[in-house]
Amino acid sequence: MRVAFISDIHGNAVALDAVLADIQNKQIDQIYVLGDLCYRGPEPRRSLDTIRTLDTKVIKGNADEWVVRGVREGEVPDKALVLMNSEREWTVSQLDPADLDYLKDLPTELHLEIEGVSISAYHATPESLFEIVPGSSEDAVLQAKLMSAADSTIYVYAHIHKPFIRYIGGKVLINIGSVGLPFDGLAKASYAIVEVDHKRISTSIERVAYDIEKVVQLYQEVNYPNSEMMGRIVRNGSV
């Protein structure tokens, strides 16, 4: 069985379309979504509607929580708080109350069993939607923060927008990167594939090209707050 994990779409429906086309070409059996669906992109509603047509399990990310209740002091640098809440308010204006209820009620973790292989997945950590755990952390830190809440073979998370695969203590840890806003300097959408075949495990990070200039133009056309900076992030694949 081949499954795809996608996350951090951030309202970039153009990148999402490209990733879903790539997933279809690779004949994936199931898709799982690890949060951050709408906020900070020019097409929040289309992104959310597309995710909801997938008939799959979706969990909540920190940006989904922000859409529901706003960005709070201490969650971002002080100098960014007003701007990020203006972006949040614009995003909410593109959605309806049922969309907000959907985001509010999303679960925060997944526990899967695929052909005898157990997989735990969450947005940031099992305990938090917000904590940043870089891939460069020591093995002991990654184990404590990301791999201790359940006895699984594979652990999958998102949030940091920098994909990687590491093998620690006989387990697999995957960060799947970001569909809509990669931060690792490669301006291509990112997602992960996990294949299990009679307990044989194969994992990969996939990078997918999409029409970046179309997204930059959309930020401007919809009068997105902070459109210039967001356009630079999309073009450069980094903050």
Side-chain angles (χ1 to χ4, degrees):
M1 184 174 185
R2 307 181 79 212
V3 301
F5 291 90
I6 69 174
S7 186
D8 293 84
I9 295 99
H10 287 287
N12 186 342
V14 175
L16 178 59
D17 288 342
V19 164
L20 293 177
D22 193 68
I23 286 172
Q24 185 175 21
N25 289 339
K26 288 183 168 65
Q27 299 181 327
I28 299 298
D29 298 297
Q30 184 64 58
I31 302 171
Y32 297 100
V33 185
L34 305 189
D36 282 8
L37 310 181
C38 304
Y39 176 63
R40 305 213 86 179
E43 295 187 280
R45 183 63 179 271
R46 188 162 81 85
S47 298
L48 181 57
D49 287 347
T50 299
I51 291 297
R52 295 178 74 175
T53 64
L54 296 179
D55 188 28
T56 191
K57 293 180 179 179
V58 182
I59 62 174
K60 184 187 291 186
N62 64 296
D64 305 311
E65 183 74 359
W66 281 339
V67 171
V68 171
R69 50 81 162 164
V71 184
R72 295 175 180 168
E73 188 175 351
E75 293 176 341
V76 299
D78 289 345
K79 63 183 180 181
L81 186 62
V82 171
L83 176 59
M84 291 188 70
N85 269 313
S86 71
E87 292 182 62
R88 179 259 176 182
E89 290 166 5
W90 181 89
T91 301
V92 170
S93 75
Q94 308 300 303
L95 305 175
D96 61 34
D99 297 325
L100 299 181
D101 287 342
Y102 172 82
L103 296 174
K104 177 177 179 291
D105 293 337
L106 287 173
T108 58
E109 58 186 347
L110 290 174
H111 296 287
L112 311 169
E113 191 79 17
I114 299 176
E115 296 189 18
V117 174
S118 56
I119 302 175
S120 292
Y122 26 81
H123 181 72
T125 77
E127 306 298 330
S128 171
L129 295 176
F130 296 91
E131 186 173 2
I132 296 171
V133 184
S136 58
S137 302
E138 296 290 334
D139 285 1
V141 173
L142 295 173
Q143 286 177 304
K145 295 285 189 180
L146 300 169
M147 304 172 71
S148 62
D151 185 17
S152 296
T153 301
I154 302 173
Y155 299 84
V156 186
Y157 79 117
H159 189 49
I160 62 174
H161 297 218
K162 295 181 178 182
F164 68 86
I165 299 174
R166 281 178 65 171
Y167 305 90
I168 303 173
K171 311 281 188 174
V172 185
L173 175 64
I174 306 171
N175 186 282
I176 64 177
S178 172
V179 169
L181 288 175
F183 289 169
D184 62 349
L186 181 58
K188 296 180 186 295
S190 176
Y191 75 99
I193 294 175
V194 174
E195 182 176 359
V196 181
D197 183 8
H198 296 93
K199 295 192 177 181
R200 180 188 66 82
I201 299 170
S202 174
T203 60
S204 65
I205 301 294
E206 308 294 323
R207 303 306 292 260
V208 181
Y210 67 94
D211 190 342
I212 289 172
E213 292 308 313
K214 180 177 180 180
V215 178
V216 172
Q217 182 178 352
L218 282 169
Y219 274 115
Q220 297 169 349
E221 288 178 355
V222 300
N223 295 315
Y224 187 84
N226 201 25
S227 61
E228 291 300 320
M229 188 189 84
M230 295 310 298
R232 287 196 301 271
I233 292 173
V234 168
R235 281 193 176 115
N236 296 332
S238 65
V239 291

